[in-house]
């Protein structure tokens, strides 16, 4: 590989289980969730993997998650303590499958 392929060589899957995937690619973090959670208004599922301090965002990072029935707002969240979770955001919950991802830069 040439020098322009550093991101490919620097890509490391840190966690890939129970619907969560956490990848470090160069100076970027990619977090993905694909699965389902309970149908309560505020139900959530938390990743077993906690990000080490050097890979945590300085502020909470979140992104919308698409739900297969399109009926509920759901968020994928990474907080400064390294905790990763996917959560229903009030109103009517849904236990339908969902998928979403987010990325953020690391120093």
């Amino acid at each position: 590989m040439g020098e322009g392929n550093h991101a490919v060589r620097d890509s490391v899957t840190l966690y890939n289980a129970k619907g969560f995937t956490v990848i470090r690619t160069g100076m970027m973090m990619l977090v993905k969730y694909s699965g389902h959670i309970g149908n309560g208004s505020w139900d959530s599922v938390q990743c077993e993997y906690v990000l080490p301090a050097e890979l945590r965002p300085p502020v909470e990072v979140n992104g919308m998650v698409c739900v297969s029935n399109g009926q509920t707002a759901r968020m994928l969240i990474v907080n400064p303590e390294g905790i990763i979770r996917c959560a229903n955001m009030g109103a009517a919950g849904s236990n339908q499958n969902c998928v979403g991802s987010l990325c953020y830069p690391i120093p």
Side-chain angles (χ1 to χ4, degrees), residues 35-39 66-71 74 93-98:
H36 58 84
I37 61 179
N39 63 358
C66 296
V67 181
S68 62
N69 67 2
Q71 293 181 348
R74 191 169 285 170
S94 171
N95 62 357
Q96 298 289 313
N97 284 331
C98 66

Side-chain angles (χ1 to χ4, degrees), residues 5 12 19 26-27 29-30 38 62 70 73-74 77 91-92:
N5 294 320
V12 177
M27 297 180 67
M29 291 297 298
L30 171 68
N62 57 58
R74 191 169 285 170
I77 303 160

Side-chain angles (χ1 to χ4, degrees), residues 39-60:
N39 63 358
S41 296
W42 299 102
D43 283 358
S44 66
V45 61
Q46 184 169 310
C47 182
E48 294 175 345
Y49 178 75
V50 177
L51 289 164
E54 65 274 11
L55 302 179
R56 297 174 184 175
V59 297
E60 182 175 283

Side-chain angles (χ1 to χ4, degrees), residues 2 34 56 65 88:
S34 179
R56 297 174 184 175
V65 175
N88 287 333

